[in-house]
Short mmCIF file of all heavy atoms in Angstrom, two decimals:
data_model
loop_
_atom_site.label_atom_id
_atom_site.label_comp_id
_atom_site.label_asym_id
_atom_site.label_seq_id
_atom_site.Cartn_x
_atom_site.Cartn_y
_atom_site.Cartn_z
N LYS X 1 0.85 -1.19 0.00
CA LYS X 1 0.01 0.00 0.00
C LYS X 1 0.89 1.23 0.00
O LYS X 1 1.82 1.34 0.77
CB LYS X 1 -0.89 -0.01 1.24
CG LYS X 1 -1.85 1.13 1.28
CD LYS X 1 -2.79 1.02 2.44
CE LYS X 1 -3.73 2.21 2.41
NZ LYS X 1 -4.70 2.19 3.49
N PRO X 2 0.58 2.21 -0.87
CA PRO X 2 1.37 3.44 -0.90
C PRO X 2 1.26 4.22 0.40
O PRO X 2 0.23 4.19 1.07
CB PRO X 2 0.72 4.25 -2.04
CG PRO X 2 -0.11 3.28 -2.79
CD PRO X 2 -0.47 2.19 -1.86
N GLU X 3 2.33 4.89 0.76
CA GLU X 3 2.35 5.70 1.98
C GLU X 3 2.36 7.18 1.59
O GLU X 3 3.35 7.66 1.03
CB GLU X 3 3.58 5.36 2.80
CG GLU X 3 3.64 6.04 4.12
CD GLU X 3 4.87 5.63 4.93
OE1 GLU X 3 5.37 4.50 4.75
OE2 GLU X 3 5.31 6.48 5.73
N VAL X 4 1.25 7.85 1.85
CA VAL X 4 1.13 9.27 1.48
C VAL X 4 1.72 10.11 2.61
O VAL X 4 1.34 9.98 3.77
CB VAL X 4 -0.34 9.65 1.28
CG1 VAL X 4 -0.48 11.13 0.99
CG2 VAL X 4 -0.95 8.81 0.15
N ARG X 5 2.70 10.92 2.23
CA ARG X 5 3.33 11.85 3.18
C ARG X 5 2.95 13.27 2.78
O ARG X 5 2.35 13.49 1.75
CB ARG X 5 4.84 11.69 3.16
CG ARG X 5 5.34 10.31 3.56
CD ARG X 5 5.56 10.26 5.07
NE ARG X 5 6.06 8.98 5.51
CZ ARG X 5 7.32 8.70 5.76
NH1 ARG X 5 8.25 9.60 5.56
NH2 ARG X 5 7.66 7.50 6.19
N ARG X 6 3.37 14.24 3.54
CA ARG X 6 3.04 15.63 3.28
C ARG X 6 3.60 16.11 1.94
O ARG X 6 2.91 16.82 1.19
CB ARG X 6 3.58 16.52 4.39
CG ARG X 6 3.18 17.99 4.24
CD ARG X 6 3.73 18.85 5.40
NE ARG X 6 5.16 18.83 5.52
CZ ARG X 6 5.99 19.54 4.76
NH1 ARG X 6 5.53 20.34 3.84
NH2 ARG X 6 7.30 19.47 4.94
N ASN X 7 4.83 15.70 1.58
CA ASN X 7 5.44 16.21 0.36
C ASN X 7 5.88 15.14 -0.61
O ASN X 7 6.69 15.39 -1.50
CB ASN X 7 6.63 17.13 0.71
CG ASN X 7 7.72 16.40 1.46
OD1 ASN X 7 7.53 15.27 1.88
ND2 ASN X 7 8.85 17.03 1.61
N HIS X 8 5.35 13.90 -0.48
CA HIS X 8 5.66 12.84 -1.43
C HIS X 8 4.81 11.61 -1.12
O HIS X 8 4.11 11.56 -0.11
CB HIS X 8 7.14 12.49 -1.44
CG HIS X 8 7.67 11.98 -0.13
ND1 HIS X 8 8.02 12.80 0.90
CD2 HIS X 8 7.87 10.71 0.33
CE1 HIS X 8 8.45 12.09 1.93
NE2 HIS X 8 8.36 10.80 1.61
N ILE X 9 4.92 10.61 -2.00
CA ILE X 9 4.28 9.31 -1.79
C ILE X 9 5.38 8.25 -1.88
O ILE X 9 6.19 8.26 -2.82
CB ILE X 9 3.20 9.01 -2.84
CG1 ILE X 9 2.06 10.03 -2.72
CG2 ILE X 9 2.64 7.60 -2.65
CD1 ILE X 9 0.97 9.85 -3.78
N ILE X 10 5.40 7.33 -0.94
CA ILE X 10 6.34 6.22 -0.98
C ILE X 10 5.64 4.99 -1.55
O ILE X 10 4.56 4.62 -1.08
CB ILE X 10 6.90 5.90 0.41
CG1 ILE X 10 7.61 7.12 1.01
CG2 ILE X 10 7.84 4.69 0.36
CD1 ILE X 10 8.02 6.98 2.45
N LEU X 11 6.24 4.39 -2.57
CA LEU X 11 5.70 3.19 -3.19
C LEU X 11 6.62 2.03 -2.83
O LEU X 11 7.85 2.16 -2.92
CB LEU X 11 5.66 3.36 -4.72
CG LEU X 11 4.93 4.62 -5.22
CD1 LEU X 11 5.20 4.82 -6.69
CD2 LEU X 11 3.47 4.49 -4.95
N ARG X 12 6.04 0.92 -2.43
CA ARG X 12 6.86 -0.23 -2.00
C ARG X 12 6.40 -1.49 -2.73
O ARG X 12 5.21 -1.70 -2.96
CB ARG X 12 6.70 -0.47 -0.52
CG ARG X 12 7.34 0.58 0.34
CD ARG X 12 7.28 0.21 1.80
NE ARG X 12 7.89 1.23 2.62
CZ ARG X 12 7.24 2.23 3.17
NH1 ARG X 12 5.95 2.36 2.99
NH2 ARG X 12 7.89 3.14 3.88
N SER X 13 7.40 -2.32 -3.07
CA SER X 13 7.15 -3.64 -3.61
C SER X 13 8.26 -4.54 -3.09
O SER X 13 9.42 -4.39 -3.47
CB SER X 13 7.18 -3.61 -5.12
OG SER X 13 6.95 -4.92 -5.64
N GLY X 14 7.90 -5.42 -2.17
CA GLY X 14 8.92 -6.25 -1.53
C GLY X 14 9.86 -5.37 -0.77
O GLY X 14 9.47 -4.55 0.05
N ASP X 15 11.19 -5.50 -1.06
CA ASP X 15 12.18 -4.68 -0.36
C ASP X 15 12.58 -3.46 -1.16
O ASP X 15 13.50 -2.75 -0.81
CB ASP X 15 13.40 -5.51 0.00
CG ASP X 15 14.10 -6.07 -1.24
OD1 ASP X 15 13.51 -6.03 -2.33
OD2 ASP X 15 15.25 -6.54 -1.10
N LYS X 16 11.87 -3.17 -2.26
CA LYS X 16 12.18 -2.02 -3.10
C LYS X 16 11.24 -0.85 -2.78
O LYS X 16 10.09 -1.05 -2.46
CB LYS X 16 12.04 -2.39 -4.58
CG LYS X 16 13.02 -3.46 -5.01
CD LYS X 16 12.81 -3.83 -6.43
CE LYS X 16 13.75 -4.96 -6.83
NZ LYS X 16 13.52 -5.40 -8.19
N GLU X 17 11.79 0.37 -2.88
CA GLU X 17 11.01 1.57 -2.61
C GLU X 17 11.28 2.60 -3.68
O GLU X 17 12.40 2.73 -4.16
CB GLU X 17 11.35 2.18 -1.25
CG GLU X 17 10.90 1.37 -0.09
CD GLU X 17 11.11 2.10 1.23
OE1 GLU X 17 11.75 3.18 1.25
OE2 GLU X 17 10.64 1.59 2.26
N MET X 18 10.22 3.35 -4.04
CA MET X 18 10.36 4.51 -4.93
C MET X 18 9.59 5.65 -4.31
O MET X 18 8.67 5.45 -3.53
CB MET X 18 9.83 4.20 -6.33
CG MET X 18 10.64 3.14 -7.04
SD MET X 18 10.31 3.10 -8.77
CE MET X 18 11.40 4.39 -9.32
N VAL X 19 9.97 6.87 -4.68
CA VAL X 19 9.31 8.07 -4.15
C VAL X 19 8.77 8.89 -5.32
O VAL X 19 9.49 9.17 -6.28
CB VAL X 19 10.32 8.92 -3.34
CG1 VAL X 19 9.68 10.22 -2.87
CG2 VAL X 19 10.83 8.12 -2.15
N LEU X 20 7.52 9.27 -5.24
CA LEU X 20 6.84 10.13 -6.21
C LEU X 20 6.77 11.52 -5.61
O LEU X 20 6.28 11.69 -4.49
CB LEU X 20 5.42 9.62 -6.49
CG LEU X 20 4.58 10.53 -7.36
CD1 LEU X 20 4.88 10.25 -8.83
CD2 LEU X 20 3.13 10.37 -7.08
N LYS X 21 7.31 12.54 -6.35
CA LYS X 21 7.26 13.92 -5.91
C LYS X 21 6.80 14.80 -7.06
O LYS X 21 7.12 14.53 -8.21
CB LYS X 21 8.64 14.42 -5.47
CG LYS X 21 9.15 13.83 -4.19
CD LYS X 21 10.48 14.46 -3.81
CE LYS X 21 10.99 13.89 -2.51
NZ LYS X 21 12.25 14.52 -2.09
N ALA X 22 6.07 15.85 -6.72
CA ALA X 22 5.65 16.84 -7.73
C ALA X 22 6.01 18.22 -7.19
O ALA X 22 5.65 18.57 -6.06
CB ALA X 22 4.15 16.74 -7.98
N LYS X 23 6.67 19.01 -8.01
CA LYS X 23 7.03 20.38 -7.62
C LYS X 23 6.27 21.34 -8.53
O LYS X 23 6.15 21.12 -9.72
CB LYS X 23 8.54 20.62 -7.76
CG LYS X 23 9.36 19.84 -6.78
CD LYS X 23 10.82 20.14 -6.92
CE LYS X 23 11.63 19.32 -5.93
NZ LYS X 23 13.06 19.60 -6.04
N SER X 24 5.75 22.41 -7.92
CA SER X 24 4.97 23.39 -8.66
C SER X 24 4.87 24.65 -7.83
O SER X 24 5.11 24.64 -6.63
CB SER X 24 3.58 22.82 -8.93
OG SER X 24 2.75 23.81 -9.54
N GLY X 25 4.46 25.73 -8.48
CA GLY X 25 4.16 26.96 -7.76
C GLY X 25 2.85 26.85 -6.99
O GLY X 25 2.59 27.58 -6.07
N ALA X 26 2.01 25.88 -7.39
CA ALA X 26 0.74 25.64 -6.72
C ALA X 26 0.94 24.65 -5.59
O ALA X 26 1.85 23.83 -5.61
CB ALA X 26 -0.27 25.07 -7.71
N LYS X 27 0.07 24.73 -4.58
CA LYS X 27 0.13 23.78 -3.48
C LYS X 27 -0.35 22.42 -3.98
O LYS X 27 -1.43 22.30 -4.56
CB LYS X 27 -0.74 24.23 -2.32
CG LYS X 27 -0.70 23.27 -1.15
CD LYS X 27 -1.61 23.68 -0.03
CE LYS X 27 -1.55 22.63 1.04
NZ LYS X 27 -2.58 22.80 2.03
N VAL X 28 0.46 21.40 -3.78
CA VAL X 28 0.17 20.05 -4.24
C VAL X 28 -0.27 19.20 -3.03
O VAL X 28 0.36 19.25 -2.01
CB VAL X 28 1.41 19.42 -4.91
CG1 VAL X 28 1.19 17.97 -5.25
CG2 VAL X 28 1.79 20.22 -6.16
N THR X 29 -1.35 18.45 -3.21
CA THR X 29 -1.83 17.52 -2.21
C THR X 29 -1.73 16.10 -2.78
O THR X 29 -2.32 15.84 -3.82
CB THR X 29 -3.29 17.82 -1.81
OG1 THR X 29 -3.36 19.18 -1.36
CG2 THR X 29 -3.75 16.89 -0.70
N TYR X 30 -1.00 15.23 -2.11
CA TYR X 30 -0.85 13.86 -2.58
C TYR X 30 -2.00 13.01 -2.09
O TYR X 30 -2.48 13.21 -0.97
CB TYR X 30 0.50 13.29 -2.07
CG TYR X 30 1.68 14.04 -2.65
CD1 TYR X 30 2.21 15.11 -1.98
CD2 TYR X 30 2.20 13.68 -3.87
CE1 TYR X 30 3.26 15.82 -2.50
CE2 TYR X 30 3.25 14.38 -4.40
CZ TYR X 30 3.79 15.46 -3.72
OH TYR X 30 4.83 16.15 -4.25
N THR X 31 -2.41 12.07 -2.92
CA THR X 31 -3.55 11.24 -2.55
C THR X 31 -3.54 9.91 -3.28
O THR X 31 -2.71 9.69 -4.15
CB THR X 31 -4.88 12.02 -2.84
OG1 THR X 31 -5.95 11.31 -2.27
CG2 THR X 31 -5.10 12.22 -4.31
N THR X 32 -4.46 9.03 -2.90
CA THR X 32 -4.65 7.75 -3.60
C THR X 32 -6.12 7.62 -3.95
O THR X 32 -6.98 8.23 -3.32
CB THR X 32 -4.22 6.55 -2.73
OG1 THR X 32 -5.06 6.49 -1.57
CG2 THR X 32 -2.76 6.65 -2.32
N TRP X 33 -6.39 6.79 -4.96
CA TRP X 33 -7.77 6.52 -5.38
C TRP X 33 -7.91 5.02 -5.58
O TRP X 33 -6.94 4.32 -5.92
CB TRP X 33 -8.09 7.20 -6.71
CG TRP X 33 -8.05 8.67 -6.65
CD1 TRP X 33 -9.06 9.53 -6.29
CD2 TRP X 33 -6.94 9.54 -7.00
NE1 TRP X 33 -8.65 10.83 -6.39
CE2 TRP X 33 -7.33 10.85 -6.83
CE3 TRP X 33 -5.64 9.28 -7.42
CZ2 TRP X 33 -6.51 11.95 -7.07
CZ3 TRP X 33 -4.80 10.35 -7.65
CH2 TRP X 33 -5.25 11.68 -7.49
N SER X 34 -9.11 4.56 -5.40
CA SER X 34 -9.41 3.15 -5.63
C SER X 34 -9.39 2.86 -7.13
O SER X 34 -9.79 3.68 -7.94
CB SER X 34 -10.78 2.82 -5.07
OG SER X 34 -11.20 1.54 -5.48
N ALA X 35 -8.93 1.67 -7.48
CA ALA X 35 -8.97 1.23 -8.88
C ALA X 35 -10.11 0.22 -9.09
O ALA X 35 -10.17 -0.45 -10.13
CB ALA X 35 -7.64 0.63 -9.29
N GLU X 36 -10.98 0.12 -8.08
CA GLU X 36 -12.13 -0.79 -8.22
C GLU X 36 -13.05 -0.32 -9.33
O GLU X 36 -13.26 0.91 -9.49
CB GLU X 36 -12.91 -0.86 -6.90
CG GLU X 36 -12.14 -1.53 -5.78
CD GLU X 36 -11.84 -2.98 -6.07
OE1 GLU X 36 -12.73 -3.70 -6.56
OE2 GLU X 36 -10.69 -3.40 -5.83
N PRO X 37 -13.61 -1.25 -10.10
CA PRO X 37 -14.49 -0.84 -11.19
C PRO X 37 -15.72 -0.09 -10.68
O PRO X 37 -16.29 -0.46 -9.65
CB PRO X 37 -14.92 -2.17 -11.83
CG PRO X 37 -14.16 -3.23 -11.15
CD PRO X 37 -13.45 -2.67 -9.99
N LYS X 38 -16.09 0.96 -11.41
CA LYS X 38 -17.28 1.72 -11.05
C LYS X 38 -18.49 1.31 -11.90
O LYS X 38 -19.61 1.54 -11.52
CB LYS X 38 -17.02 3.21 -11.20
CG LYS X 38 -15.98 3.72 -10.22
CD LYS X 38 -15.74 5.19 -10.36
CE LYS X 38 -14.68 5.61 -9.33
NZ LYS X 38 -14.17 6.91 -9.51
N GLU X 39 -18.22 0.75 -13.03
CA GLU X 39 -19.27 0.31 -13.96
C GLU X 39 -19.15 -1.18 -14.18
O GLU X 39 -18.05 -1.77 -14.08
CB GLU X 39 -19.15 1.05 -15.30
CG GLU X 39 -19.17 2.56 -15.18
CD GLU X 39 -20.48 3.10 -14.69
OE1 GLU X 39 -21.52 2.42 -14.83
OE2 GLU X 39 -20.50 4.24 -14.17
N SER X 40 -20.25 -1.82 -14.54
CA SER X 40 -20.25 -3.28 -14.75
C SER X 40 -19.33 -3.70 -15.90
O SER X 40 -18.82 -4.80 -15.92
CB SER X 40 -21.67 -3.77 -14.99
OG SER X 40 -22.21 -3.14 -16.14
N TYR X 41 -19.12 -2.82 -16.87
CA TYR X 41 -18.29 -3.15 -18.02
C TYR X 41 -16.80 -2.90 -17.79
O TYR X 41 -15.97 -3.25 -18.60
CB TYR X 41 -18.75 -2.37 -19.26
CG TYR X 41 -18.90 -0.89 -19.04
CD1 TYR X 41 -17.80 -0.05 -19.05
CD2 TYR X 41 -20.15 -0.33 -18.83
CE1 TYR X 41 -17.91 1.31 -18.84
CE2 TYR X 41 -20.30 1.04 -18.63
CZ TYR X 41 -19.17 1.85 -18.65
OH TYR X 41 -19.30 3.20 -18.46
N ASP X 42 -16.44 -2.31 -16.65
CA ASP X 42 -15.04 -2.07 -16.33
C ASP X 42 -14.39 -3.37 -15.84
O ASP X 42 -15.02 -4.16 -15.15
CB ASP X 42 -14.88 -1.03 -15.21
CG ASP X 42 -15.20 0.37 -15.68
OD1 ASP X 42 -15.11 0.62 -16.90
OD2 ASP X 42 -15.52 1.22 -14.84
N GLY X 43 -13.13 -3.59 -16.21
CA GLY X 43 -12.39 -4.77 -15.76
C GLY X 43 -11.96 -4.63 -14.31
O GLY X 43 -11.79 -3.53 -13.78
N ALA X 44 -11.77 -5.76 -13.66
CA ALA X 44 -11.31 -5.77 -12.28
C ALA X 44 -9.85 -5.38 -12.20
O ALA X 44 -9.08 -5.61 -13.12
CB ALA X 44 -11.50 -7.16 -11.69
N ASN X 45 -9.47 -4.77 -11.11
CA ASN X 45 -8.08 -4.35 -10.84
C ASN X 45 -7.68 -4.77 -9.44
O ASN X 45 -7.36 -3.93 -8.60
CB ASN X 45 -7.96 -2.83 -10.97
CG ASN X 45 -8.24 -2.33 -12.35
OD1 ASN X 45 -7.53 -2.70 -13.29
ND2 ASN X 45 -9.24 -1.50 -12.51
N PRO X 46 -7.66 -6.09 -9.18
CA PRO X 46 -7.36 -6.53 -7.82
C PRO X 46 -5.96 -6.09 -7.36
O PRO X 46 -5.00 -6.21 -8.11
CB PRO X 46 -7.47 -8.04 -7.88
CG PRO X 46 -7.35 -8.39 -9.33
CD PRO X 46 -7.82 -7.19 -10.10
N GLY X 47 -5.90 -5.54 -6.16
CA GLY X 47 -4.61 -5.15 -5.58
C GLY X 47 -4.03 -3.87 -6.14
O GLY X 47 -2.88 -3.52 -5.84
N VAL X 48 -4.77 -3.15 -6.98
CA VAL X 48 -4.26 -1.92 -7.62
C VAL X 48 -4.76 -0.69 -6.89
O VAL X 48 -5.95 -0.57 -6.56
CB VAL X 48 -4.67 -1.86 -9.10
CG1 VAL X 48 -4.21 -0.54 -9.72
CG2 VAL X 48 -4.09 -3.02 -9.86
N ILE X 49 -3.85 0.24 -6.61
CA ILE X 49 -4.19 1.54 -6.02
C ILE X 49 -3.59 2.61 -6.92
O ILE X 49 -2.42 2.55 -7.25
CB ILE X 49 -3.65 1.68 -4.58
CG1 ILE X 49 -4.24 0.60 -3.68
CG2 ILE X 49 -3.91 3.07 -4.03
CD1 ILE X 49 -3.61 0.52 -2.31
N VAL X 50 -4.39 3.60 -7.30
CA VAL X 50 -3.93 4.69 -8.14
C VAL X 50 -3.35 5.76 -7.23
O VAL X 50 -3.96 6.13 -6.23
CB VAL X 50 -5.09 5.26 -8.99
CG1 VAL X 50 -4.62 6.43 -9.85
CG2 VAL X 50 -5.72 4.15 -9.83
N VAL X 51 -2.16 6.28 -7.57
CA VAL X 51 -1.54 7.33 -6.77
C VAL X 51 -1.38 8.58 -7.63
O VAL X 51 -1.29 8.50 -8.85
CB VAL X 51 -0.16 6.90 -6.23
CG1 VAL X 51 -0.27 5.70 -5.31
CG2 VAL X 51 0.83 6.64 -7.35
N GLY X 52 -1.35 9.72 -6.98
CA GLY X 52 -1.14 10.97 -7.73
C GLY X 52 -1.25 12.15 -6.81
O GLY X 52 -1.08 12.05 -5.60
N PHE X 53 -1.55 13.30 -7.42
CA PHE X 53 -1.67 14.53 -6.66
C PHE X 53 -2.73 15.40 -7.25
O PHE X 53 -3.14 15.24 -8.39
CB PHE X 53 -0.30 15.27 -6.62
CG PHE X 53 0.22 15.63 -7.97
CD1 PHE X 53 -0.11 16.86 -8.53
CD2 PHE X 53 1.03 14.77 -8.68
CE1 PHE X 53 0.37 17.20 -9.79
CE2 PHE X 53 1.51 15.11 -9.93
CZ PHE X 53 1.19 16.34 -10.50
N GLU X 54 -3.20 16.35 -6.44
CA GLU X 54 -4.17 17.32 -6.88
C GLU X 54 -3.64 18.72 -6.54
O GLU X 54 -2.88 18.89 -5.59
CB GLU X 54 -5.51 17.11 -6.12
CG GLU X 54 -6.14 15.78 -6.42
CD GLU X 54 -7.42 15.56 -5.61
OE1 GLU X 54 -7.50 16.04 -4.45
OE2 GLU X 54 -8.32 14.89 -6.14
N ALA X 55 -4.08 19.70 -7.33
CA ALA X 55 -3.72 21.09 -7.08
C ALA X 55 -4.85 21.98 -7.57
O ALA X 55 -5.47 21.69 -8.60
CB ALA X 55 -2.41 21.43 -7.79
N HIS X 56 -5.12 23.02 -6.84
CA HIS X 56 -6.14 23.97 -7.25
C HIS X 56 -5.47 25.07 -8.07
O HIS X 56 -4.56 25.76 -7.58
CB HIS X 56 -6.83 24.59 -6.03
CG HIS X 56 -7.80 25.65 -6.39
ND1 HIS X 56 -9.02 25.39 -6.98
CD2 HIS X 56 -7.73 27.00 -6.28
CE1 HIS X 56 -9.65 26.50 -7.22
NE2 HIS X 56 -8.90 27.51 -6.78
N ILE X 57 -5.89 25.21 -9.33
CA ILE X 57 -5.38 26.25 -10.21
C ILE X 57 -6.53 27.18 -10.56
O ILE X 57 -7.49 26.74 -11.21
CB ILE X 57 -4.78 25.64 -11.52
CG1 ILE X 57 -3.85 24.49 -11.23
CG2 ILE X 57 -4.11 26.74 -12.35
CD1 ILE X 57 -2.61 24.84 -10.45
N PRO X 58 -6.48 28.43 -10.13
CA PRO X 58 -7.58 29.34 -10.42
C PRO X 58 -7.78 29.55 -11.94
O PRO X 58 -6.83 29.43 -12.72
CB PRO X 58 -7.15 30.67 -9.79
CG PRO X 58 -6.13 30.28 -8.75
CD PRO X 58 -5.46 29.05 -9.32
N ALA X 59 -9.00 29.84 -12.32
CA ALA X 59 -9.31 30.09 -13.73
C ALA X 59 -8.44 31.21 -14.28
O ALA X 59 -8.14 32.18 -13.58
CB ALA X 59 -10.79 30.46 -13.87
N GLY X 60 -7.97 31.04 -15.49
CA GLY X 60 -7.15 32.05 -16.14
C GLY X 60 -5.66 31.98 -15.77
O GLY X 60 -4.88 32.79 -16.24
N ARG X 61 -5.30 31.04 -14.94
CA ARG X 61 -3.90 30.89 -14.51
C ARG X 61 -3.38 29.55 -14.99
O ARG X 61 -4.14 28.59 -15.10
CB ARG X 61 -3.84 30.99 -12.98
CG ARG X 61 -2.43 30.99 -12.46
CD ARG X 61 -2.42 31.33 -10.99
NE ARG X 61 -1.24 30.69 -10.41
CZ ARG X 61 -1.11 30.37 -9.16
NH1 ARG X 61 -2.09 30.58 -8.31
NH2 ARG X 61 -0.03 29.81 -8.73
N SER X 62 -2.09 29.46 -15.23
CA SER X 62 -1.51 28.18 -15.59
C SER X 62 -0.38 27.85 -14.62
O SER X 62 0.16 28.73 -13.95
CB SER X 62 -0.96 28.21 -17.03
OG SER X 62 0.07 29.14 -17.12
N GLU X 63 -0.05 26.59 -14.54
CA GLU X 63 1.02 26.10 -13.65
C GLU X 63 1.80 25.02 -14.35
O GLU X 63 1.24 24.26 -15.13
CB GLU X 63 0.44 25.52 -12.36
CG GLU X 63 0.17 26.46 -11.24
CD GLU X 63 1.36 27.28 -10.75
OE1 GLU X 63 2.52 26.81 -10.82
OE2 GLU X 63 1.11 28.40 -10.32
N ASP X 64 3.07 24.95 -14.07
CA ASP X 64 3.91 23.86 -14.52
C ASP X 64 4.13 22.90 -13.35
O ASP X 64 4.21 23.34 -12.22
CB ASP X 64 5.27 24.36 -15.01
CG ASP X 64 5.16 25.19 -16.28
OD1 ASP X 64 4.33 24.86 -17.14
OD2 ASP X 64 5.92 26.18 -16.38
N PHE X 65 4.20 21.60 -13.67
CA PHE X 65 4.47 20.59 -12.65
C PHE X 65 5.70 19.81 -13.09
O PHE X 65 5.79 19.38 -14.22
CB PHE X 65 3.30 19.63 -12.51
CG PHE X 65 2.05 20.29 -11.95
CD1 PHE X 65 1.13 20.87 -12.79
CD2 PHE X 65 1.86 20.36 -10.59
CE1 PHE X 65 0.00 21.49 -12.29
CE2 PHE X 65 0.74 20.98 -10.06
CZ PHE X 65 -0.19 21.55 -10.91
N PHE X 66 6.63 19.63 -12.17
CA PHE X 66 7.82 18.82 -12.40
C PHE X 66 7.66 17.59 -11.51
O PHE X 66 7.74 17.69 -10.29
CB PHE X 66 9.08 19.63 -12.03
CG PHE X 66 10.35 18.85 -12.27
CD1 PHE X 66 10.77 18.55 -13.56
CD2 PHE X 66 11.09 18.40 -11.21
CE1 PHE X 66 11.93 17.86 -13.77
CE2 PHE X 66 12.24 17.68 -11.40
CZ PHE X 66 12.68 17.41 -12.68
N VAL X 67 7.45 16.44 -12.15
CA VAL X 67 7.16 15.22 -11.40
C VAL X 67 8.35 14.25 -11.52
O VAL X 67 8.86 14.03 -12.62
CB VAL X 67 5.88 14.54 -11.96
CG1 VAL X 67 5.58 13.25 -11.17
CG2 VAL X 67 4.71 15.50 -11.87
N THR X 68 8.77 13.71 -10.37
CA THR X 68 9.85 12.74 -10.37
C THR X 68 9.42 11.45 -9.69
O THR X 68 8.60 11.45 -8.76
CB THR X 68 11.13 13.27 -9.66
OG1 THR X 68 10.80 13.57 -8.31
CG2 THR X 68 11.69 14.49 -10.36
N LEU X 69 9.96 10.36 -10.17
CA LEU X 69 9.80 9.04 -9.56
C LEU X 69 11.21 8.52 -9.40
O LEU X 69 11.89 8.25 -10.39
CB LEU X 69 8.96 8.16 -10.45
CG LEU X 69 8.59 6.78 -9.92
CD1 LEU X 69 7.76 6.90 -8.64
CD2 LEU X 69 7.80 5.99 -10.96
N SER X 70 11.67 8.39 -8.16
CA SER X 70 13.07 8.03 -7.94
C SER X 70 13.19 6.91 -6.93
O SER X 70 12.34 6.72 -6.08
CB SER X 70 13.88 9.25 -7.46
OG SER X 70 13.31 9.79 -6.30
N ARG X 71 14.31 6.17 -7.04
CA ARG X 71 14.60 5.12 -6.06
C ARG X 71 14.93 5.77 -4.74
O ARG X 71 15.54 6.82 -4.66
CB ARG X 71 15.77 4.27 -6.53
CG ARG X 71 15.37 3.29 -7.60
CD ARG X 71 16.46 2.33 -7.84
NE ARG X 71 17.35 2.91 -8.83
CZ ARG X 71 18.42 2.31 -9.29
NH1 ARG X 71 18.80 1.16 -8.81
NH2 ARG X 71 19.15 2.89 -10.21
N ARG X 72 14.56 5.08 -3.71
CA ARG X 72 14.82 5.57 -2.36
C ARG X 72 16.02 4.91 -1.78
O ARG X 72 16.32 3.79 -1.98
CB ARG X 72 13.58 5.34 -1.49
CG ARG X 72 13.71 5.99 -0.20
CD ARG X 72 12.37 6.01 0.48
NE ARG X 72 12.64 6.46 1.82
CZ ARG X 72 11.75 6.65 2.71
NH1 ARG X 72 10.52 6.44 2.43
NH2 ARG X 72 12.05 7.07 3.90
#
């Protein structure tokens, strides 16, 4: 299971770890989502968790995001 921290997400598989980070001028909030099917026609995703981040960008403004996935 991914570990959501204040400024990154730790991904683990066995004894291996990776860190997901996103840098931006906007405040980034890290989160996870279920990969369970929402519709009857969607395929099953057993054991899958979607990871990522959210940021509020006001209308008329743009932001760049620099995302890294690195070994820990």
Side-chain angles (χ1 to χ4, degrees):
K1 183 175 180 179
E3 185 178 331
V4 177
R5 299 270 181 99
R6 184 179 60 79
N7 62 351
H8 61 278
I9 297 176
I10 300 172
L11 307 168
R12 291 186 180 92
S13 180
D15 62 346
K16 297 178 183 177
E17 290 187 352
M18 295 196 83
V19 176
L20 173 85
K21 289 184 180 182
K23 292 183 181 180
S24 175
K27 181 183 176 191
V28 173
T29 303
Y30 297 91
T31 190
T32 62
W33 297 273
S34 170
E36 292 297 316
K38 293 181 180 169
E39 305 293 338
S40 60
Y41 51 79
D42 288 337
N45 295 299
V48 175
I49 299 172
V50 179
V51 299
F53 59 90
E54 297 176 327
H56 175 73
I57 311 297
R61 186 170 152 204
S62 64
E63 274 302 330
D64 293 323
F65 294 90
F66 181 70
V67 181
T68 59
L69 185 61
S70 57
R71 284 190 271 181
R72 189 167 170 177

